[in-house]
Amino acid sequence: MYKKKIPKYLFLLFYILFLFSVLVSRFYGISIRPMHCDEANQAYKAGILLEKGLYKYDPHEHHGPLLYYATLPIFYFYGVHQFRETNETMFRIVPVLFSILIFLSLLPMKKYVGLIAFLVSSILLAVSHAFFFYSRYYVHETLFVLFSSLFIFSLWGYISKPNILSAILTGFNLSLAFATKETTLIVLFATSLATVITFVYLIKTSQFMETNSTIFPHVLTWTKILKHIFALFIAFFIPWLLLFSSFFTNKQGLLDFFRAYQTYLFRASGEGSSGIHDKPWWYYLQILTYFNKTVGPIWSEGFIILLCSVGIIISLCFTIGILIKKKCDVREQTLSSFYIFLFVSFFTTFLIFSLIPYKTPWNILFPLLGMIIFAGIGFQALWQKFRKIWARFILSIILLSGIYHLSYQTYQGNFIYFADISNPYVYAHTSTSLVKMMDRIYQLSDILIKENQEPIVFVIDPINDYWPIPWYLRKIDKKGFWSKIPSNIENIPFLIVSPELLQEFDKRLNKPYMKEIYTIRPGVFRYLYIEQPLWDKFIEIQSIRKQ
């Protein structure tokens, strides 16, 4: 008995060490990238929840409530109680931790597709540039991928073995997926389609099983089905009720959950201001296969796509073969139906995402997870097909080369080109120039504080395009955000001004200011005005330090 358990313990030890290495690598340098506008916006809402205990679901922006509530334990762990005390690490550790759970969500597939497919998929998930990059991004996407994949696997668990526990897990995971992003509706549609197609296939193949056994362990009665539906509904309803009502402090949030789909359907169509995010249908394929902006590396996760294509072809041939020969056993029926269910769930979602005009690069994560799963299936199929030592040696070299290429890109994308537009996953990202502007403000603020003066910053922009500046000014108490030039600007030490207002602004000033220009994000600039006496003191101090 003891000897039989050793391999399981070895696998468990190996996998724990593997996950620990993934966690360490994703935590390393987590704060070097400037905060994206979306990250800063989400952080600000989490800060309100931290300080005031208030959260209200917004049907027009920001997505679901789960991200903010999931951040509270991190605040408590670090012992912070005010938004000004937070930093990038505290927020980004949230998606990092949830990204580790994505690896665990793949565990159910191991018993169906095999150990090699599971391990290869796990390694590809670890070195994927897209997954690594967005696992350190304080937005909802990582949580969305986790609970959407858990929903798919728990629903498959119910299909393969209907029981009340699987029904509860399915409802619970679906509820948490909706509490992350409204696009869960697309996943629900794709998975519902997958369920129908899978059931049709199971009924068809059950007619020519070699024995009377099928994937179904027992016949379901209507009483059991109703019990399972009721359990699923309750498991869905409780988290949904708690989160969208902000734990019974905002009943309007429950209605806003449904109203939100009017907003997001309009946005998905590419109408209005959302049109700036419109892209062709092949956009996601492009960033996965070949992305180059002349400057910087050529980016590609083509190795995953290649193995995924092999996995899909092998799965398709296996399934068609069963239908042609009209003969299969329980294992073959289970495996082929599992392939069908996964393929339709993930790739129908990918198709819909590709057809929707509104596109952002992080939306590729969920379909990419399906590609990674089929990539593992593809490699295992090749490994089983070619059993000679020299053939498996070549396969090992190919796999290691692909892993190295993906790892190198991940390093480049996260530690060198982490805010560069040549990186396919850097999207309307905050420039490092903005960080320099904020460093300048805080350096000069220290001089004011030493002279018992309080730093004051006014940000003026005619279209209210402030983000992520509010995040970077969180440690300054006195600040104002204006769409028009206010009347009392003469005694303000720092003024951040949009270029459109520059001429009018200069006419309004009655005292000398030092002026610098900074890039906020690609193509977006801001001028920093600094009171001349304050700037002169700063230069004087710098000169003394150099002596």
Side-chain angles (χ1 to χ4, degrees):
M1 287 292 292
Y2 181 74
K3 289 183 178 180
K4 290 183 180 180
K5 291 184 179 180
I6 290 178
K8 291 184 179 180
Y9 288 127
L10 288 176
F11 168 77
L12 183 60
L13 177 62
F14 167 80
Y15 203 64
I16 290 174
L17 291 174
F18 168 73
L19 291 180
F20 180 75
S21 67
V22 172
L23 176 62
V24 171
S25 65
R26 295 187 176 189
F27 188 79
Y28 178 75
I30 196 172
S31 62
I32 63 172
R33 188 182 66 247
M35 287 286 274
H36 188 276
C37 295
D38 289 348
E39 288 186 284
N41 210 312
Q42 311 298 356
Y44 182 76
K45 289 180 71 68
I48 294 174
L49 181 60
L50 168 67
E51 291 185 349
K52 301 179 180 180
L54 297 175
Y55 168 79
K56 288 186 177 182
Y57 174 67
D58 185 347
H60 305 291
E61 291 288 350
H62 313 300
H63 299 302
L66 185 59
L67 177 66
Y68 313 113
Y69 285 108
T71 311
L72 289 179
I74 302 299
F75 291 147
Y76 300 148
F77 175 80
Y78 279 96
V80 300
H81 303 285
Q82 292 183 320
F83 183 51
R84 63 180 296 132
E85 298 171 348
T86 64
N87 57 41
E88 292 87 347
T89 299
M90 296 178 192
F91 292 100
R92 288 175 176 165
I93 192 66
V94 176
V96 166
L97 294 175
F98 278 98
S99 75
I100 300 302
L101 296 179
I102 294 176
F103 288 85
L104 298 177
S105 75
L106 298 182
L107 280 169
M109 66 174 265
K110 185 169 78 74
K111 73 175 183 177
Y112 296 105
V113 300
L115 179 61
I116 293 175
F118 170 75
L119 292 177
V120 171
S121 294
S122 298
I123 294 170
L124 294 178
L125 179 61
V127 299
S128 166
H129 178 194
F131 268 99
F132 196 103
F133 191 85
Y134 290 123
S135 70
R136 297 141 58 92
Y137 222 76
Y138 188 68
V139 293
H140 300 75
E141 208 64 33
T142 301
L143 282 70
F144 167 71
V145 173
L146 170 64
F147 291 109
S148 295
S149 61
L150 284 173
F151 163 64
I152 286 177
F153 284 118
S154 58
L155 180 55
W156 166 255
Y158 182 83
I159 293 172
S160 61
K161 188 177 180 180
N163 59 71
I164 197 166
L165 177 60
S166 295
I168 291 172
L169 290 175
T170 300
F172 181 75
N173 291 322
L174 180 61
S175 183
L176 294 185
F178 270 111
T180 57
K181 282 190 74 177
E182 294 75 11
T183 44
T184 299
L185 187 64
I186 296 174
V187 176
L188 179 59
F189 169 79
T191 310
S192 299
L193 179 63
T195 302
V196 172
I197 294 174
T198 303
F199 266 108
V200 171
Y201 175 79
L202 287 170
I203 293 170
K204 180 69 175 178
T205 52
S206 295
Q207 297 174 3
F208 43 80
M209 295 288 289
E210 291 183 341
T211 65
N212 292 328
S213 300
T214 70
I215 186 175
F216 300 107
H218 56 272
V219 178
L220 284 174
T221 63
W222 281 109
T223 302
K224 287 184 178 180
I225 291 174
L226 291 174
K227 285 182 179 179
H228 294 172
I229 292 174
F230 179 74
L232 185 150
F233 175 78
I234 294 299
F236 175 91
F237 181 74
I238 292 175
W240 176 83
L241 176 65
L242 292 175
L243 290 168
F244 281 96
S245 70
S246 304
F247 291 87
F248 304 110
T249 62
N250 177 37
K251 295 179 182 179
Q252 182 66 31
L254 302 177
L255 292 176
D256 286 338
F257 169 79
F258 298 100
R259 292 194 181 104
Y261 285 94
Q262 182 179 357
T263 299
Y264 287 100
L265 286 173
F266 178 79
R267 185 173 297 170
S269 67
E271 298 291 334
S273 60
S274 300
I276 61 173
H277 300 288
D278 282 8
K279 296 172 186 66
W281 67 266
W282 61 82
Y283 171 73
Y284 293 125
L285 284 175
Q286 181 186 39
I287 63 175
L288 287 176
T289 55
Y290 183 91
F291 188 91
N292 178 246
K293 288 200 170 183
T294 66
V295 177
I298 295 174
W299 307 90
S300 174
E301 302 204 42
F303 183 69
I304 293 174
I305 305 300
L306 178 63
L307 282 181
C308 172
S309 300
V310 174
I312 291 173
I313 292 171
I314 294 295
S315 304
L316 184 62
C317 292
F318 179 67
T319 304
I320 293 176
I322 291 175
L323 294 174
I324 292 175
K325 68 182 181 181
K326 295 184 178 181
K327 185 179 180 182
C328 67
D329 56 25
V330 175
R331 186 194 66 82
E332 291 173 330
Q333 186 195 42
T334 302
L335 188 57
S336 57
S337 57
F338 182 67
Y339 289 156
I340 292 171
F341 182 75
L342 287 189
F343 177 81
V344 177
S345 295
F346 281 104
F347 288 93
T348 300
T349 304
F350 180 53
L351 177 63
I352 296 173
F353 280 175
S354 296
L355 293 177
I356 291 174
Y358 184 101
K359 294 180 179 68
T360 52
W362 44 81
N363 283 337
I364 194 58
L365 288 188
F366 180 73
L368 180 58
L369 179 62
M371 296 175 192
I372 287 172
I373 292 172
F374 275 94
I377 293 170
F379 184 81
Q380 176 162 290
L382 294 174
W383 190 262
Q384 293 174 341
K385 177 70 175 177
F386 302 100
R387 296 179 176 273
K388 293 186 177 180
I389 294 177
W390 64 267
R392 289 189 168 181
F393 177 77
I394 293 174
L395 285 175
S396 299
I397 295 298
I398 292 173
L399 179 63
L400 291 174
S401 299
I403 291 171
Y404 172 78
H405 179 250
L406 292 170
S407 301
Y408 180 73
Q409 285 188 113
T410 296
Y411 170 75
Q412 292 274 311
N414 287 273
F415 300 102
I416 297 178
Y417 295 91
F418 52 82
D420 195 297
I421 60 172
S422 66
N423 186 334
Y425 304 116
V426 171
Y427 186 74
H429 200 87
T430 303
S431 170
T432 53
S433 175
L434 173 63
V435 179
K436 293 177 182 177
M437 180 172 74
M438 293 301 155
D439 289 342
R440 176 78 80 202
I441 290 174
Y442 280 106
Q443 279 180 319
L444 295 169
S445 294
D446 289 340
I447 298 175
L448 291 174
I449 293 170
K450 288 178 181 178
E451 296 181 350
N452 295 320
Q453 298 182 53
E454 192 164 17
I456 304 174
V457 184
F458 278 9
V459 184
I460 309 163
D461 186 278
I463 60 172
N464 299 321
D465 184 12
Y466 307 126
W467 294 97
I469 293 174
W471 154 261
Y472 284 102
L473 293 179
R474 68 193 182 281
K475 296 181 181 180
I476 294 180
D477 293 329
K478 289 192 175 182
K479 49 187 176 281
F481 299 88
W482 313 84
S483 60
K484 295 180 180 180
I485 301 175
S487 57
N488 57 333
I489 60 173
E490 285 77 12
N491 297 317
I492 306 302
F494 306 103
L495 299 159
I496 300 173
V497 184
S498 176
E500 298 92 320
L501 299 174
L502 203 60
Q503 291 184 350
E504 182 184 354
F505 194 81
D506 287 339
K507 291 178 182 178
R508 294 276 300 274
L509 290 175
N510 295 320
K511 58 188 296 186
Y513 273 82
M514 165 65 184
K515 183 166 58 178
E516 295 181 321
I517 186 170
Y518 293 91
T519 304
I520 302 299
R521 54 184 178 273
V524 181
F525 304 95
R526 293 292 181 271
Y527 285 89
L528 172 63
Y529 284 74
I530 305 166
E531 280 188 315
Q532 190 65 48
L534 176 59
W535 177 256
D536 292 340
K537 290 178 184 178
F538 173 71
I539 295 300
E540 181 182 349
I541 292 171
Q542 294 298 108
S543 300
I544 294 172
R545 287 177 179 175
K546 290 180 179 179
Q547 291 178 356

